[in-house]
Every structure is written in C-alpha cells, then in structure tokens.
Amino acid sequence: MELAPPLAARPPPPATIHWILPPHGMGNHLDSLPALASAAVGKDFKNYMPHFRPFLSFGLSNHQEHQVCAVAVGVVGDICRALEAEMSPYCPEIVQLLLKNLQEPALNRNVKPPILSCFGDVALAVGGDFEPYLPETMRMLQQAGMTSLDVSNPDLVDYLGQLREGIFEAYTGVLQGLREGKKGTAFQPYLPDAMNLLLRVLRASYERTGRSSPSAHGSVDRHGRAHVFPVVAALCEQDQHIVIVA
C-alpha cells in the first residue's frame, strides 16, 4: 500500500492559504507573510509557492502600507534561499514588482535599500537565468548610486549609507549569481558604472579620515566601506585587469 507523503511535504489547499492570508485588509495580517514563509526551510516550499504567490505579489504592491511591502521584500529573499533555481518561473513578476517599487514615489524610502539588496538574492538563487533582467536592474542601481543628499542631515546621511549598502549587496549577488551560471561575461558592460560608484565611495571615505569621529559622515563610511570590499573582490574576479587607485 502506498503511503501518503508527510504533512510537511503536502501543498496546502488554496482554501487553507486564503484562511491564513485574507486578501482584504492585508495590513491587519502583517505577521502572516513571514509566518507562512517560515515554511520555506527547504525546497518543499515549491509546493506552496503557486498558492502563496498572489499574496506575495499583493504585499509587494502595497505601497500605502509600507511595513507590509518591507516584510514582503524580506520574504522574497527567504524564498530565494529556499527555492534557489526553482525560483526562476516567478522571477518575471517579482523582478518587475521590485523595479516598479523603486520608481514609486508613494513608497516609503526606507523600503528601497532592501529592495536593491533583494536583486542580489534573486540573482544568487537563479544564477544565469537572471541575465534577462540585467539591463533594467543595472539601470536602477546606476540611478540609485548617483543619489546625492544633504550630508548635514544625519537621517539623510544614514539613509544614503543604507542605499549604498543595498547597491553593493545587489552588485555582489548579481555578479556571483551570473558567474555561477557561467554567464559572468554578461556583467562586462556594467563594470564601469560599478567601479565608478565604488571609487566615489572609497574616495569620499578616505577624504573624511581624520575628521571628528562621531559624525553623520561616519554612517556613510561604516555602510560604504564595510560593503565595498566584497564587491571589489567580486569585480576583480570578473576582470583581472582591474586596478583600483583610490
């Protein structure tokens, strides 16, 4: 007699998912997204993903309740690490939602640095399958890297540091994912922009060396320099002719 699969391996019926995540008033069920996604501890989550996808998309599209959107962005990263290459069928919709969020003026700005980092999570998961999304993703990273804010405002300086952190994590994840998928050369056209941003951050950091230590500038230095060097290593692996003079 054939045994039924264990409960953990069975996909939940749609009715169960709808009971856990009501489609209306999602903001009142903020804890539901990570609670359900906590099931993504292994590749068995692929059985749940077709039912979970509409609610994840709803969360990513919820610009008015930015906490919901922020949680949904974090859940994307969790699912990427769980599904790995099996995330590919869901990438077209998810990547487009992430790109749209970056251009949405109504979305709280604090959600945008994690969105940038999330591109790295997606690329690490799907490897070479991320190549079709490179042009738009790299364009967004370039625009984000050109952001200039009032450095006399500590809150804005801290945000700028978080933004750069997200950019660097995205670059690192995208490049590593492409290389693992044997498509590292697809990143070649975007090397100049990546290197220009890295050099700007390094130079600004070194120029501020020796100034009063507990300053607003220190936030950018901590965020910037801590994440520059992993990206430099990844870029140098991609192109061994790179010479950095900061």
Side-chain angles (χ1 to χ4, degrees), residues 5-201:
L7 288 176
R10 298 180 190 172
T16 302
I17 295 289
H18 282 267
W19 180 80
I20 296 174
L21 285 174
H24 301 293
M26 179 80 77
N28 296 326
H29 301 275
L30 180 60
D31 293 336
S32 299
L33 278 171
L36 184 56
S38 66
V41 294
K43 293 186 177 180
D44 285 338
F45 191 75
K46 66 182 180 182
N47 297 323
Y48 297 77
M49 190 59 182
H51 306 306
F52 183 63
R53 181 199 58 76
F55 301 99
L56 181 60
S57 298
F58 182 92
L60 291 172
S61 304
N62 197 333
H63 305 138
Q64 300 305 316
E65 297 176 276
H66 69 271
Q67 299 96 333
V68 175
C69 188
V71 170
V73 170
V75 168
V76 170
D78 292 337
I79 294 175
C80 284
R81 287 182 282 277
L83 296 188
E84 296 181 338
E86 293 179 311
M87 185 71 176
S88 290
Y90 306 101
C91 280
E93 180 181 12
I94 288 176
V95 170
Q96 286 306 311
L97 286 172
L98 294 174
L99 290 169
K100 183 178 179 181
N101 282 345
L102 290 175
Q103 301 175 79
E104 176 53 60
L107 182 62
N108 186 289
R109 70 176 182 226
N110 292 323
V111 184
K112 297 187 177 184
I115 290 176
L116 294 172
S117 179
C118 195
F119 288 120
D121 294 331
V122 174
L124 282 172
V126 303
D129 287 350
F130 193 80
E131 184 178 8
Y133 314 110
L134 270 179
E136 279 298 301
T137 301
M138 293 297 104
R139 184 173 66 84
M140 285 296 176
L141 292 180
Q142 181 187 16
Q143 290 180 3
M146 295 172 65
T147 300
S148 178
L149 298 172
D150 179 7
V151 295
S152 67
N153 185 325
D155 291 335
L156 292 180
V157 170
D158 189 59
Y159 170 72
L160 182 60
Q162 294 173 22
L163 195 66
R164 288 176 174 173
E165 178 180 336
I167 295 169
F168 295 149
E169 289 179 347
Y171 273 134
T172 304
V174 168
L175 187 48
Q176 289 180 356
L178 290 173
R179 285 172 59 85
E180 290 174 6
K182 310 299 182 186
K183 292 188 177 181
T185 54
F187 192 85
Q188 211 72 21
Y190 310 104
L191 274 173
D193 289 334
M195 291 306 304
N196 285 336
L197 174 61
L198 293 172
L199 290 173
R200 283 204 309 274
V201 173

Side-chain angles (χ1 to χ4, degrees), residues 199-212:
L199 290 173
R200 283 204 309 274
V201 173
L202 285 172
R203 285 172 179 153
S205 177
Y206 289 136
E207 286 171 3
R208 287 192 288 269
T209 300
R211 295 189 181 181
S212 54

